[in-house]
Amino acid sequence: MVGSPSFLRQSTEVTGGAVTDALSDVFEQIDVRGVVTGGFAVRGPWSSRVAVSRPLKLVALVAGSAHVSVDGPGGPQGPIELAPGDVVLLNHRTHLEVRGGADGAAPADLVPASDFDAMDLAAADLSSDDVLIGGWIQVDPAGLALLGSALPGLVHVRGGTPAASRLSVLVAQVFTEASSARLGSAFAVRQNGQLILLEVLRAYLEQDRPPVGWLRLLADEPLAPALQLMHADPATAWGLIELARASGMSRTSFAERFRTIAGTTPGAYLSRWRMALAQRALRDPDLRIGALATELGYASESAFSTAFKREVGEAPSHYRRRLRTAG
């Protein structure tokens, strides 16, 4: 059995006698950061319509009230009413409309500025203005594929619920950092963006029933011991008997539950997790593909390349070259 590969140790390190949870492993691999790209502080009726160009867009209401409607693949959704602290995560939507203020008068049409300066929000009156900030979550291609397949087109997390109490605090922190121009504020916004995505996923798992897939699998406590085995040592060809024993189930019960929750087999999940690890490892220009294949448990570089191309759509060497070209 191959030991924990060097490029995996950071994400599977044992801390305090226990392997880190699977969601933490995922976050270690997908390189998350948040970017604030716009915002409004306005009174009276208003509306804003924009085309969405980023796959994972965030809208957070800091103060006041607003309604959100979106469109894109799968059809329109909304309007959804937002309260202070609410966050909306858009997954591959193409159009967004946000409106606020009392009905009756003609709304002011707000056009997001291409040269947005978050300092413009510093004068906002949180007691009377509708204050909204927008941005996007940046992840690497492997993370985008994972999140894109696991989330619906729109995730609405309500800030007033116990599950989202931490999220409301983070939204307020992002607003403060973005509008204060304090030393290190850009770094703080990026780090809080990572935490916001984590809290959105946590709250989503508690508020709603995720569709069948890896995110629902990560939240399934009976299957957690088997998942820890695969994440801690992905090079091992884990069999159903070993995984079922770790979860305290019979082989048949384990296989049925895994497929029901994840929508795939343990072997297919392990293969996909290996490919997520490989995509991150291939950022290192000095790592030999043959060595990576061995450390991930493949019998040959050819077998690894075939599996990688089947999952990612291109050969490992082409993937690395494209990353290098993209900077």
Side-chain angles (χ1 to χ4, degrees), residues 9 42 80 84 103 116 122 134 140 159 194 210 213 244 279 297:
R9 286 175 189 150
V42 59
I80 295 171
D103 293 330
F116 169 73
D140 63 19
Q194 186 179 49
Q279 287 177 80

Side-chain angles (χ1 to χ4, degrees), residues 80-83 86-89 154-159 207-208:
I80 295 171
E81 184 175 2
L82 302 185
D86 282 16
V87 174
V88 171
L89 174 64
L154 185 150
V155 177
H156 176 205
V157 177
R158 300 163 185 83
Q207 288 182 4
D208 301 291

Side-chain angles (χ1 to χ4, degrees), residues 40 42-48 61 63-68 80-82 97-108 110 129-132:
F40 299 129
V42 59
R43 296 179 202 176
W46 59 273
S47 68
S48 178
L61 188 68
S65 62
H67 292 79
V68 170
I80 295 171
E81 184 175 2
L82 302 185
E97 178 181 359
V98 190
R99 55 184 176 83
D103 293 330
L110 302 182
D129 293 347
D130 293 332
V131 183
L132 180 142

Side-chain angles (χ1 to χ4, degrees), residues 179-201:
S179 61
S180 66
R182 295 174 59 197
L183 190 65
S185 61
F187 175 80
V189 168
R190 288 197 298 270
Q191 295 303 304
N192 278 309
Q194 186 179 49
L195 293 174
I196 282 176
L197 178 60
L198 174 60
E199 293 300 331
V200 165
L201 294 180

Side-chain angles (χ1 to χ4, degrees), residues 236-274:
T236 294
W238 294 102
L240 276 178
I241 293 177
E242 298 164 297
L243 297 175
R245 184 182 298 120
S247 295
M249 301 181 194
S250 70
R251 180 178 179 275
T252 301
S253 296
F254 174 81
E256 290 178 353
R257 184 178 184 90
F258 199 100
R259 181 177 286 279
T260 299
I261 297 295
T264 189
T265 65
Y269 174 84
L270 178 60
S271 178
R272 188 170 188 183
W273 177 240
R274 286 173 172 175

Side-chain angles (χ1 to χ4, degrees), residues 282-303:
L282 286 169
R283 299 179 193 176
D284 181 357
D286 298 323
L287 180 66
R288 293 188 301 108
I289 293 178
L292 175 61
T294 299
E295 292 193 332
L296 281 174
Y298 289 91
S300 66
E301 181 176 336
S302 174

